[in-house]
Amino acid sequence: MSQSEGKMNLEEYFKRIGFHGSLDKLDLATLKLIHKQHVMSIPFENLSIHCGEEIIMDLEVIFNKIVRSSRGGWCFENNFLFGWVLREMGYDTTTLGSRVFNSILNDFGVAESHLINKVIIDGKAYIADVSFGVSSQVWEPLELISAKDQPQSAGVFRLIDKGDIWVLEKTSRKPEVLNPDFAKSSLVYKKETKPIYGFTLKPREAHHFFEINRTLQTDPSSLFTNKSICSLQTPTGFRALIGWTYSETIFKPEEGVDVLDMRNITDDEIEQILRDKFNVKMQNKVKPVSNKVSYTL
């Protein structure tokens, strides 16, 4: 079967994420497992923007790219695909839109620029998000309950009901940077509690995101045109390639720190790093970009 042939199917997706569990129960345990397997197997990346490809919100195109072509994607691909998977499995799943927190403005963005999924299991609601990346990536769904600490490997997450909006926030650990050259890097996050994004429970259809999907990959002021990003969660933390800066982060909750090993790589190393560290195989050459915009690991 060629990469452009054959219908989308769960079997290929499960093979892509290494899921071998039972499908007998549409329970929370199964949802947690496929959610975690997805973020450990499929990177959050925007490399299409930096190699001359267009990102299209078409499920078959996304399936061929992510499942059959050893690539990752951003939220309009990963979470869109994940929502399809959950519905195909039989989960009660609703697409939602969220506004990402802008630390420069100290407020949430105007547009709903991040797609997430709400899943109902046994009368309880959960937020599933397999495509935010780096240290803000949840490994498992979060229960939609206000102000409850929900500790995960990356830190303590909370969903807070503000009345007109739900807010996802995270309390991080202290970063310990091994390479002194990066001690003052703008990519290094601080030990703090910060909002990640805000959302309402209003259901959204795919077409709601078509315009922002186009804007984010073409607007000169967009984070994604200014930074080439690839991030993959690992059993002990996460890896990231931001422009030419490659980093491996190890979570050490028992010590209250995250250990960051950061170094710059050359253009000649990009393809091999993507293949060896992220299992990403590019058909077109990536041109790394790392302009001055606010972004932290």
Side-chain angles (χ1 to χ4, degrees):
M1 180 186 294
S2 76
Q3 291 178 345
S4 60
E5 292 179 354
K7 291 184 178 180
M8 296 165 54
N9 62 88
L10 289 176
E11 289 75 15
E12 279 186 86
Y13 169 79
F14 291 146
K15 183 179 179 181
R16 172 74 171 91
I17 67 169
F19 174 75
H20 306 291
S22 169
L23 298 177
D24 293 342
K25 292 182 179 178
L26 294 178
D27 56 11
L28 180 59
T30 301
L31 176 61
K32 283 183 174 182
L33 184 54
I34 61 169
H35 193 290
K36 188 172 182 178
Q37 289 292 113
H38 187 115
V39 302
M40 297 280 166
S41 306
I42 299 175
F44 170 82
E45 52 108 329
N46 70 341
L47 302 177
S48 288
I49 299 171
H50 303 287
C51 71
E53 300 169 358
E54 184 181 1
I55 299 171
I56 302 170
M57 281 191 69
D58 178 300
L59 274 172
E60 291 193 0
V61 172
I62 294 167
F63 190 91
N64 282 328
K65 174 183 175 181
I66 291 178
V67 176
R68 293 174 174 160
S69 302
S70 198
R71 285 286 302 278
W74 63 5
C75 69
F76 301 123
E77 298 169 289
N78 268 316
N79 278 331
F80 191 22
L81 174 66
F82 196 64
W84 173 82
V85 167
L86 296 179
R87 291 181 183 93
E88 282 291 297
M89 291 177 70
Y91 281 102
D92 180 353
T93 306
T94 304
T95 301
L96 305 177
S98 63
R99 297 184 293 134
V100 177
F101 189 76
N102 184 315
S103 59
I104 303 298
L105 300 175
N106 197 35
D107 200 358
F108 299 99
V110 176
E112 290 187 347
S113 61
H114 185 58
L115 185 159
I116 57 177
N117 290 292
K118 183 185 73 171
V119 186
I120 305 292
I121 301 174
D122 295 332
K124 291 184 177 180
Y126 300 87
I127 296 298
D129 182 354
V130 295
S131 197
F132 202 89
V134 291
S135 67
S136 294
Q137 179 62 60
V138 293
W139 287 7
E140 297 179 344
L142 297 169
E143 186 177 357
L144 191 62
I145 183 169
S146 187
K148 176 185 177 182
D149 283 3
Q150 301 191 52
Q152 294 196 8
S153 295
V156 179
F157 293 91
R158 279 172 226 91
L159 290 165
I160 301 171
D161 185 357
K162 300 276 191 178
D164 59 338
I165 189 174
W166 280 84
V167 173
L168 170 62
E169 68 173 31
K170 179 200 165 193
T171 300
S172 300
R173 290 180 289 270
K174 180 182 177 183
E176 183 180 294
V177 182
L178 297 181
N179 186 339
D181 292 344
F182 290 88
K184 295 183 179 179
S185 169
S186 62
L187 288 172
V188 177
Y189 53 88
K190 298 177 176 63
K191 180 186 179 182
E192 62 182 1
T193 297
K194 67 171 185 178
I196 299 174
Y197 53 73
F199 60 95
T200 71
L201 302 182
K202 184 174 182 179
R204 298 299 192 189
E205 298 295 331
H207 61 77
H208 176 74
F209 302 99
F210 287 175
E211 184 178 348
I212 190 67
N213 178 65
R214 282 192 299 270
T215 300
L216 289 177
Q217 56 187 309
T218 55
D219 186 342
S221 67
S222 163
L223 162 67
F224 299 107
T225 58
N226 282 282
K227 295 275 189 196
S228 52
I229 300 168
C230 187
S231 158
L232 182 66
Q233 305 298 302
T234 70
T236 55
F238 68 93
R239 298 171 182 149
L241 178 62
I242 316 298
W244 293 267
T245 302
Y246 175 69
S247 62
E248 295 188 358
T249 298
I250 305 297
F251 299 144
K252 294 194 172 181
E254 67 284 353
E255 297 176 26
V257 299
D258 293 342
V259 179
L260 282 65
D261 190 2
M262 305 171 68
R263 64 183 175 94
N264 285 330
I265 64 174
T266 65
D267 284 335
D268 293 340
E269 294 176 277
I270 296 289
E271 187 177 336
Q272 185 175 353
I273 286 281
L274 289 173
R275 187 175 60 249
D276 294 350
K277 301 297 186 179
F278 301 93
N279 192 29
V280 165
K281 294 164 187 169
M282 302 298 299
Q283 291 182 322
N284 299 311
K285 186 177 178 63
V286 174
K287 296 180 180 178
V289 177
S290 188
N291 296 328
K292 269 196 169 182
V293 290
S294 177
Y295 186 71
T296 55
L297 291 169

